[in-house]
């Protein structure tokens, strides 16, 4: 009995405990990627790879990607089918940036565009309306509402410029390979 357990231990295989982490400059970990986790990243050549991590070893990450396409059937209709699966091997130094967050709410992700489009639309319609009705755009009450609309465009621009939206790692983040074995 003990001999069979010992022989089973010799032939058993465990996953590599190596992982990749995205860290801030001060060393704080933002995200950790290990075997079995989903990943979306951009390589330094500009390719995006989206899939499930199969294995991380020898400074490389192996990602299984699925090519899903719509294919016609013999009945003349189409269906979605997995056209193929591919195993991509990428060295961790070739990763430019990794997606680290998902945005859970609608307003938080769209407030900059809503402010900019809404403010610009109000300014444009106000000027067109003033030209159509042959009224001066520079009336005191009209200038106040135009100022609020221009302020909304400015706040939307500031939110878009300084509050990061797409949630990929930034250039000042470090992508670190952690070898555990």
């Amino acid at each position: 009995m003990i001999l069979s357990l010992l022989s089973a231990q010799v032939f058993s295989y465990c996953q590599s405990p190596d992982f990749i982490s995205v860290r801030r400059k001060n060393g704080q970990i933002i995200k950790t990627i290990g075997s079995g986790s989903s990943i979306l990243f951009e390589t330094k050549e500009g390719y995006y790879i989206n899939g499930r991590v199969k294995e991380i070893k020898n400074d490389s990450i192996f990602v299984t990607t699925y090519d899903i396409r719509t294919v016609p059937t013999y009945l003349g209709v189409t269906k979605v089918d997995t056209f193929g699966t591919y195993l991509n091997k990428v060295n961790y130094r070739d990763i430019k940036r990794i997606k680290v967050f998902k945005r859970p709410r609608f307003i938080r992700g769209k407030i900059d565009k809503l402010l900019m489009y809404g403010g610009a639309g109000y300014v444009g319609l106000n000027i067109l309306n003033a030209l159509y009705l042959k009224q001066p755009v520079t009336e005191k009450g009209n200038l106040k509402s135009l100022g609020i609309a221009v302020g909304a465009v400015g706040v939307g621009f500031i939110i878009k410029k300084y509050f990061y939206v797409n949630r990929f790692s930034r250039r000042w983040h470090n992508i670190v390979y952690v070898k555990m074995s």
Side-chain angles (χ1 to χ4, degrees), residues 65-72 79-86:
T65 57
Y66 297 96
D67 187 6
I68 299 173
R69 299 183 186 182
T70 304
V71 293
K79 70 175 186 173
V80 178
D81 195 11
T82 304
F83 194 71
T85 59
Y86 305 101

Side-chain angles (χ1 to χ4, degrees), residues 108-119:
R108 185 173 178 197
K110 305 290 185 214
I111 191 71
D112 56 344
K113 291 182 180 95
L114 289 172
L115 284 169
M116 289 190 334
Y117 293 150

Side-chain angles (χ1 to χ4, degrees), residues 167-178:
R167 305 297 188 198
F168 274 90
S169 59
R170 302 297 294 257
R171 64 180 177 272
W172 56 79
H173 292 147
N174 294 325
I175 299 172
V176 180
Y177 178 82
V178 180

